[in-house]
Amino acid sequence: MANAMLQQTVGGTLQLLSNSGTHCNVGNRSVRLLPKGFKLEVEFSKRAICSSGKRKFNVIQASTSQTSVVGPLLAPSSSDTLDSHMKSNEVALILIRHGESLWNEKNLFTGCVDVPLTNKGVEEAIEAGHRISNIPVDMIYTSSLIRAQMTAMLAMTQHRRKKVPIILHNEDERARAWSKIYSEDTIEQSIPVITSWKLNERMYGELQGLNKQETADKFGQEKVHEWRRSYDIPPPNGESLEMCAQRAVAYFRDNIEPQLLSGKNILISAHGNSLRSIIMYLDKLTSQEVITLELSTGIPMLYIFKEGKFIRRGSPVAPTEAGVYAYTRHEIYKRALEIEKDQVVDFSVLFEKERR
């Protein structure tokens, strides 16, 4: 990195400090941003150690406030203490949009058509698993579509507890009987996976299988944008986001929220629109705010459920929510002020997102 000094206002100052990396003051918080190629080793303290070869550098953490759920780089030495950093009255809720699917790659409207992940989607799911590998997971909910189920299963292969996710088949008595597990020890080492069509992507009706660009050329960009991004206008014979929200949020309230209240840590692997709907409910967004949300494939979003309230924590071991959503400049800077202790932040990602 060339010897240079740069300052930019981000609700504070951003300084580029020769070869030692970048130092950022955001409000009264301080973060050191590291040059590429440095390995990050984080300990359970208010400071982190970065090393390149035999050289070590201190990383000033973003805040001295407490973080209740730790990410992969903050792993305890023993899986027996995995939950020790969760407060007794808190549970985790993790949301993951499935990795890239074969029809995402082909730029086709997918909706409720059941297509698998691409190789890139598999890699995204595994990376998501790395990010949540130290967050306790007691139950998993997915849609009935294979891309969401693959994402959850692949993510859990990276979990430190090494419990096995097992899909529960409850469609009839025979399905339940044939999939019964007879070992209590095996049950203890398993995580139930519950699937529901109510968590499916919104049904795109007559657009399903069509190329998005060709459809825009045929019907006009404005009409296709209306079908894709309006809240209450459905595509031909399909669902609007409002209709998708009615089923997804009702399912969340009736089935998932009671599990959180009982102390279960939950992972939901689903889709852009069904997760938008749930986030609208969690964050109390308006119909205008929710249509601006963009969820990246394979990036987990963490909430803490505490005393009946959902507290957004961003993406584990990553920048804050700007890594998940497309936000305005004001929102990016605002969320930079919310960085928790034990997160090292790459502000270049925030700025790149804002420029797009």
Side-chain angles (χ1 to χ4, degrees):
M1 185 181 296
N3 291 330
M5 185 73 73
L6 172 69
Q7 288 195 346
Q8 180 172 350
T9 299
V10 190
T13 62
L14 177 67
Q15 295 179 309
L16 186 63
L17 305 176
S18 66
N19 294 322
S20 64
T22 305
H23 183 274
C24 182
N25 292 316
V26 184
N28 62 354
R29 297 167 172 82
S30 184
V31 183
R32 188 176 296 281
L33 313 177
L34 303 176
K36 292 183 179 179
F38 283 82
K39 180 181 179 182
L40 180 65
E41 299 172 327
V42 182
E43 300 174 345
F44 287 110
S45 68
K46 294 181 181 179
R47 304 185 72 83
I49 303 298
C50 296
S51 62
S52 179
K54 296 182 179 179
R55 300 176 62 194
K56 291 191 175 182
F57 301 85
N58 285 328
V59 179
I60 303 171
Q61 297 303 321
S63 168
T64 58
S65 62
Q66 293 296 317
T67 296
S68 302
V69 179
V70 296
L73 292 180
L74 307 176
S77 58
S78 168
S79 61
D80 292 337
T81 61
L82 184 64
D83 300 346
S84 63
H85 292 266
M86 288 287 291
K87 295 180 181 178
S88 60
N89 63 339
E90 297 178 353
V91 293
L93 171 64
I94 307 166
L95 310 179
I96 306 179
R97 182 188 174 192
H98 64 80
E100 181 190 68
S101 75
L102 287 168
W103 276 17
N104 290 146
E105 183 183 50
K106 293 178 180 294
N107 199 33
L108 305 181
F109 285 101
T110 311
C112 289
V113 180
D114 205 359
V115 298
L117 301 179
T118 61
N119 288 335
K120 178 183 175 182
V122 169
E123 292 171 358
E124 289 176 331
I126 291 172
E127 173 59 24
H130 284 302
R131 295 190 182 209
I132 65 170
S133 62
N134 292 308
I135 302 173
V137 176
D138 301 310
M139 295 182 69
I140 298 172
Y141 288 85
T142 80
S143 76
S144 65
L145 303 174
I146 191 64
R147 57 192 185 272
Q149 295 176 23
M150 287 178 70
T151 298
M153 295 299 194
L154 288 166
M156 291 309 296
T157 64
Q158 308 305 308
H159 204 276
R160 288 175 61 87
R161 281 192 175 275
K162 302 301 181 185
K163 288 190 174 184
V164 178
I166 297 177
I167 295 177
L168 303 183
H169 295 282
N170 294 322
E171 54 265 37
D172 58 37
E173 185 176 345
R174 182 171 64 178
R176 289 190 291 273
W178 285 14
S179 60
K180 184 176 179 179
I181 300 171
Y182 289 90
S183 166
E184 290 297 326
D185 289 341
T186 300
I187 292 173
E188 284 294 315
Q189 293 303 311
S190 304
I191 298 177
V193 181
I194 299 171
T195 66
S196 174
W197 69 269
K198 292 182 179 180
L199 295 175
N200 280 12
E201 179 59 286
R202 74 177 170 115
M203 202 273 282
Y204 270 97
E206 295 175 15
L207 300 186
Q208 291 184 171
L210 300 183
N211 181 277
K212 294 176 182 177
Q213 184 56 54
E214 292 174 0
T215 305
D217 293 341
K218 179 178 180 180
F219 294 99
Q221 291 280 1
E222 185 175 342
K223 175 55 70 176
V224 173
H225 182 78
E226 182 180 69
W227 288 335
R228 295 186 66 189
R229 286 294 177 261
S230 64
Y231 182 68
D232 55 0
I233 301 175
N237 293 316
E239 282 185 310
S240 64
L241 178 56
E242 181 180 32
M243 295 161 70
C244 178
Q246 288 173 351
R247 58 173 166 84
V249 172
Y251 184 82
F252 181 87
R253 284 199 308 255
D254 294 343
N255 297 275
I256 300 175
E257 201 162 346
Q259 297 295 341
L260 292 165
L261 285 166
S262 73
K264 296 289 197 306
N265 300 286
I266 305 294
L267 165 64
I268 303 176
S269 178
H271 308 266
N273 285 296
S274 54
L275 291 178
R276 273 192 195 95
S277 303
I278 291 171
I279 290 168
M280 181 182 183
Y281 170 70
L282 299 179
D283 291 347
K284 298 179 173 58
L285 303 180
T286 67
S287 59
Q288 287 304 305
E289 288 171 330
V290 71
I291 62 176
T292 66
L293 295 183
E294 287 289 344
L295 280 69
S296 300
T297 54
I299 296 183
M301 184 68 185
L302 174 63
Y303 286 81
I304 300 301
F305 185 65
K306 180 180 180 180
E307 297 175 354
K309 296 181 179 180
F310 292 95
I311 306 168
R312 188 170 29 178
R313 290 298 194 206
S315 185
V317 194
T320 55
E321 300 94 316
V324 182
Y325 306 127
Y327 277 125
T328 64
R329 177 191 296 267
H330 172 74
E331 287 292 309
I332 290 174
Y333 294 166
K334 177 182 174 184
R335 277 154 180 76
L337 298 175
E338 299 172 355
I339 300 165
E340 292 286 353
K341 167 183 171 292
D342 295 330
Q343 289 188 4
V344 177
V345 179
D346 181 358
F347 273 81
S348 65
V349 175
L350 300 181
F351 301 143
E352 181 60 29
K353 284 284 185 181
E354 183 272 324
R355 283 196 295 267
R356 291 176 182 174

